[in-house]
Each structure stands twice: as C-alpha cells, then as structure tokens.
Amino acid sequence: MSRDFQLPGRSPVISCEGMAATSHPLATLAAVDVLRAGGTAADAAIAAVATLCVVEPAMTGIGGDCYCLVSQPGKPVWGYNGSGRAGAKASYEALRARGMTEIGDSIHAVTVPGALDAWEAVLKGYGRFGLDRALQPAIKYAEGGFPVAARVAWDWGRYVGKLKAVPGAAKHYLFNGAAPKEGDVIRFPALATTLKTIAAKGARAFYEGEIAEDMAATVAAHGSFLTVEDFARHRGDAVTPISANYRGLDLLEIPPNGQGLTALVMLNILENFDLKALDPLGPERFHLVLEAARLGFAVRDTHIADAAHMRTPVADLLDKGFAKELASLIDMKKRAKLPPAPTPGSNTVYLTVVDKDRMAVSFINSLYSHFGLGICTEKTGIMLTNRGSCFTLEPDHPNTFGPGKRPLHTIIPALAMRNGRCDMSFGVMGAHYQPMGHVHIVLNMLDYGMDVQQAIDAPRFFFEGEKTVVENGTPDLTIEGLKARGHDVVMATSPWGGAQTIKIDWDRGVLIGGSEPRKDGCALGY
C-alpha cells in the first residue's frame, strides 16, 4: 500500500462549534455525536478511542496504554501518563541468567495496561459523562458489528501468522482462520461483554476481579512475572507537561517515560538554523532535519526512562545551550558520525477533539506493535500490549527492565501553545517516528506556511539504523542530494503511521482540521 503524496490532497476541514480528527471515520463520528449531545472534548475523545479499540484492533486496544493532554482557556495544561508498569517481581538478573539480551517478543514485553485507568481519569477531570455513556459506541460496534475499512483489512491480513500462534488471538481475531476482508462485517462478542462490565462498574472492574484474573492467568501461563496484584495496584499519574519554544510557538509534550522530549530537543537544535531559507522539499532541509533527528534520538536512547529512574534532569536535556552544542556537530555537506551518548555538561492511534468552549484534547492510545504481543485473553477478548519490549537489558542503564518500572514509551500527544492559548492540538502515529513527525508538522506550518492538511500530506523522511528512508513523492533531486551527502537512501515500503491536527483560529472563531490520507483518517466538524 503506497501512494504518491506529492499529488494534491484533500482540503482542510473548517467548522465553528467543534471538531474531531481520528484515524477512522466511525471513531470521528462517535466523537462528533458526543459533542452534539452536550459532551465535552474529553467525553468525545474517550468515546472515539474506545471505538478505535474495536474498529482498529491491530493498532490499539483496551489492553494497551495511553497519554493525554488537555487545554482549557485560562487554565494550566493538564497531562496524564496512562502507561503501565512491569510486575513487582520483574527481574533483570533472572532474564540475563537465562541468556536473554533483549526483551524482544518474549512474554516479559507485556506490561500492565494503563489505558482504562487513564480514560476514567480524563472523564472525571474534564467530562460531563462517565464510562457508562462514553463506551456505548464501542459496545455497539463490538456487539452489533462493524464493516472493516480498507487500511484496517490490509494491516490485519499481514499478521494472520502472529494471530494463529496463540489460541486466544486466533479465537477472537481470526474468522475461519483468516483475517477479514475490506467490507466484511465482524463482531467481538467477548470484548463487548468486557466493555459492558467496565461501563457498568467503572475502570476498577478492569484491574480487579474476573477481568484482571483472566489477564493475569493468561500471561502467567507463558511465564510472566506479572500477578493479579500488579493489575490491582495500577494507577496512572497526572503530570505537568514539558515544553520548548520554537520561534514563538511553545510545543508541549508529556514528560518521560514518553519520548516527547526527543521532539523538543530536535526543535531546540533546529532553532539554530534558518529553515525558511531552505526549500521545504529540498535536500538541504531533509539533510538538516535528519541530522537533528539522529542527535535527538541519541539523546533519547541515552537518557529517557521511567521518570523515577532518570539520571539527567529533563531541564538539562532541554537547555538551549546543550542544543547549541549539538547543533555545532551538524555538517550541512555530509552525514556526520554521532556521539555515542550525548549528555549535557559533558503502530498506535492518535486523535484530537476541540469543543465549542475550546477545550482541546490531544490523545494517543496504543498496543505498540500490530496486535501488541499477539497474546489475547480467551475469556475476555483483550489483546495485550508488548510495550515492555522498549526496555533494555543493558546493565546500568536508566531504562533497564526492573520491578515496577515503566519502559520508554514511543506514543506522544502534543499541543502547540501561543501566548498562553492553544494554537493547535496534534499528533502522529508510527512508533519511533513520532518525534520526527511532530517536528515535521511544526516546521511545515511555521517555517513554510503550509496549512494543516498540506503539513500532513508532505512527503516524510526518517532514518532506520544506517538507512535514510523517504516516502513516495520525495523529489528525485532531493534523493540525489541526500546520497551526495553520504545518506544511504531507500524508499519507504509503506507510509509511516498517520496524523491528525486541529488548529484553533481565535481571530475568526473557527477550527481547521487535517487528517491522514495514508490511513483512513477523518476530520469532521459541526
């Protein structure tokens, strides 16, 4: 599945009252229905994400994690870390003794799912409805059925082998041993029952009682350290966002264990260069941003971990002087060798909703890999995350696997603020690509004057190991220019993730939304 995104794309969506942008039309419609019924952006966001957990099961699920940012006019931005932890009995030493050098796709990649606790926290803090009402669209689709979208069918079909390998996954996510095709109407009866229980009893019914016991028993059968007590113990955390100012725009991110800091480091580096003087699709721009990304990700891989285990203060990593030092390492004429551990002083769904009161919710929910680890509970139909694969088994690293720890997380929602007001709520999908995607959209809009849809549609580029990967639509002259600077360029086999954006035009009183044509993205306003 590939498309040429240099061709004209869809137009931005413009509305006055409210808007939702998600990766699937059914989820966007669920959100808009909630807004029209008097719900807030928070209510609409939870209705949308719960729907996505049904209609895009390869990308997200109630067995995953989430992060959220909420902005209200005149109030501080609120953040929530809805990521789960390794079990209290998790042991780095035990895994190393078995000869393991990485978590990989072992059972230890499963962490306690953090999403449901976070959904309830968002509703309690900023909603008018509870989980009983917010989950109704998801229950409707899980119980009554939904038609499979084109991109969803394509993703699903690639992972039949993964799903066949585990009885629970094959039982609930394959149909006569096969993935559904585009347009097939499918149902998830076990998941529907689980959602009904949560709607009636609240999020604690997910973490305590029969549902938690089913999850704990499922992973225990594969040798996990997780116990039913780990599920009961889980609570997410309200957090203060971190930020960096780029040419008058404040980009807000969730603090570590999320990788949002990586995007901020990149913008701090790029602030030292005149991006506007460079062709937005030219080799100089691509090369410069790629080099900044390689530096930013080196910072990430060295420092980001569970906040309680970080050894270098976030403020030091966001210091403008540190960024200037990193910027000095960039050679505009060639791909540079990176420092091994730069230190100062020496698959996922994203959605955003804005309501008539201009509450903006930036929300991301993920199983990490397609269908998570591929392990699904047989009774309750819950696909479990493999987020723990982001732990390292390197000794003496802040992100080393350990008891009660959160792993480095790739999912990152974002808000852009100007003069204390929300200018834009946005995010992208695509695992490790996400910080690059945040920077891509900010540069496209701020430095190059693109609208929200043009910023999303523009061809993307990233690095994967020593390869420089570019999407279809990248000019041939740019590819040759990158090769001349030492980049080993290959074409992306499929587009990276997706993106949704809502910009608030305060002067005209309108909302302007963009969504991802690389997937089934849909923005709707009213």
Side-chain angles (χ1 to χ4, degrees):
M1 174 172 280
S2 62
R3 306 173 194 169
D4 188 340
F5 296 103
Q6 199 172 14
L7 296 175
R10 63 180 71 165
S11 299
V13 176
I14 304 175
S15 70
C16 292
E17 293 296 313
M19 182 176 288
T22 84
S23 57
H24 196 290
L26 293 178
T28 301
L29 183 60
V32 171
D33 284 345
V34 169
L35 292 178
R36 284 176 168 162
T40 68
D43 296 310
I46 301 308
V49 74
T51 298
L52 289 167
C53 287
V54 175
V55 302
E56 278 201 82
M59 296 296 168
T60 197
I62 63 174
D65 290 341
C66 73
Y67 289 132
C68 181
L69 290 167
V70 179
S71 169
Q72 289 180 293
K75 297 181 180 180
V77 174
W78 179 85
Y80 200 83
N81 182 332
S83 64
R85 301 175 182 274
K89 297 180 181 179
S91 171
Y92 159 82
E93 291 79 11
L95 299 189
R96 293 293 295 190
R98 296 173 196 170
M100 292 179 61
T101 58
E102 61 179 17
I103 298 293
D105 58 1
S106 73
I107 189 61
H108 308 294
V110 178
T111 49
V112 175
L116 261 298
D117 163 84
W119 296 4
E120 190 167 72
V122 172
L123 291 175
K124 286 181 176 178
Y126 296 93
R128 296 192 182 108
F129 305 153
L131 279 173
D132 55 343
R133 186 164 180 180
L135 296 185
Q136 289 310 306
I139 292 170
K140 168 190 167 185
Y141 291 123
E143 186 172 49
F146 66 94
V148 176
R151 175 59 192 255
V152 173
W154 185 74
D155 285 326
W156 211 319
R158 293 188 296 155
Y159 294 95
V160 170
K162 183 175 185 176
L163 296 171
K164 279 185 175 179
V166 180
K171 174 182 177 180
H172 297 295
Y173 289 91
L174 294 178
F175 305 87
N176 295 320
K181 296 180 174 60
E182 177 185 349
D184 287 352
V185 177
I186 62 168
R187 297 166 180 82
F188 296 132
L191 183 59
T193 299
T194 298
L195 289 169
K196 285 181 179 179
T197 300
I198 297 165
K201 299 180 180 180
R204 279 295 102 195
F206 180 84
Y207 295 99
E208 299 170 9
E210 293 182 2
I211 297 174
E213 290 166 4
D214 190 28
M215 290 189 287
T218 297
V219 296
H222 295 270
S224 173
F225 293 113
L226 288 172
T227 65
V228 70
E229 290 79 17
D230 292 315
F231 289 87
R233 191 180 295 117
H234 176 78
R235 299 292 189 283
D237 298 300
V239 296
T240 300
I242 58 176
S243 67
N245 184 276
Y246 180 77
R247 310 195 200 286
L249 191 76
D250 292 308
L251 182 65
L252 273 60
E253 301 274 0
I254 294 286
N257 57 318
Q259 65 169 343
L261 184 146
T262 313
L264 304 183
V265 170
M266 288 176 61
L267 288 176
N268 283 345
I269 293 170
L270 291 168
E271 194 176 39
N272 293 279
F273 299 86
D274 184 6
L275 268 294
K276 287 184 178 180
L278 306 179
D279 180 348
L281 295 182
E284 294 82 6
R285 184 261 176 112
F286 277 44
H287 169 74
L288 172 58
V289 178
L290 282 163
E291 293 299 273
R294 293 173 65 229
L295 288 164
F297 278 79
V299 171
R300 183 199 76 165
D301 294 343
T302 301
H303 298 287
I304 294 181
D306 186 320
H309 297 267
M310 291 271 291
R311 296 171 187 169
T312 303
V314 168
D316 290 359
L317 297 172
L318 292 179
D319 180 73
K320 297 284 189 178
F322 174 48
K324 191 176 287 290
E325 292 177 13
L326 294 176
S328 70
L329 301 175
I330 294 177
D331 186 334
M332 290 298 293
K333 295 183 179 180
K334 66 179 181 180
R335 190 174 186 269
K337 184 177 181 180
L338 294 182
T343 302
S346 32
N347 292 350
T348 301
V349 293
Y350 173 80
L351 64 93
T352 178
V353 183
V354 178
D355 62 26
K356 62 183 178 60
D357 298 317
R358 298 311 185 242
M359 177 191 292
V361 176
S362 185
F363 199 100
I364 196 159
N365 207 98
S366 178
L367 288 171
Y368 190 39
S369 296
H370 289 84
F371 293 106
L373 191 60
I375 291 180
C376 180
T377 58
E378 290 200 45
K379 295 178 183 177
T380 50
I382 301 169
M383 191 68 71
L384 296 170
T385 182
N386 65 329
R387 184 55 62 174
S389 62
C390 289
F391 280 120
T392 181
L393 290 182
E394 294 179 25
D396 194 34
H397 191 287
N399 189 41
T400 295
F401 180 74
K405 287 180 70 172
R406 285 174 163 142
L408 179 149
H409 238 280
T410 59
I411 60 174
I412 50 173
L415 290 173
M417 310 289 289
R418 191 184 295 278
N419 300 323
R421 296 192 301 190
C422 182
D423 182 80
M424 183 168 64
S425 178
F426 73 103
V428 303
M429 297 170 273
H432 299 282
Y433 171 78
Q434 290 177 53
M436 185 70 155
H438 285 199
V439 171
H440 181 73
I441 288 176
V442 169
L443 298 184
N444 284 349
M445 295 183 69
L446 204 61
D447 288 313
Y448 299 117
M450 297 183 192
D451 66 35
V452 292
Q453 192 62 54
Q454 291 169 335
I456 291 171
D457 290 350
R460 300 171 182 171
F461 48 97
F462 195 38
F463 67 94
E464 295 178 358
E466 293 302 309
K467 301 287 186 182
T468 291
V469 187
V470 299
E471 283 187 336
N472 288 340
T474 303
D476 291 341
L477 287 176
T478 297
I479 293 173
E480 293 307 312
L482 289 172
K483 290 179 178 178
R485 289 168 173 81
H487 294 268
D488 185 1
V489 182
V490 297
M491 300 303 297
T493 55
S494 64
W496 280 294
Q500 276 72 241
T501 301
I502 299 176
K503 181 174 175 61
I504 304 175
D505 187 328
W506 293 93
D507 293 333
R508 296 189 293 170
V510 299
L511 304 171
I512 307 169
S515 58
E516 181 55 69
R518 293 162 174 84
K519 303 191 76 176
D520 298 304
C522 176
L524 287 176
Y526 75 103

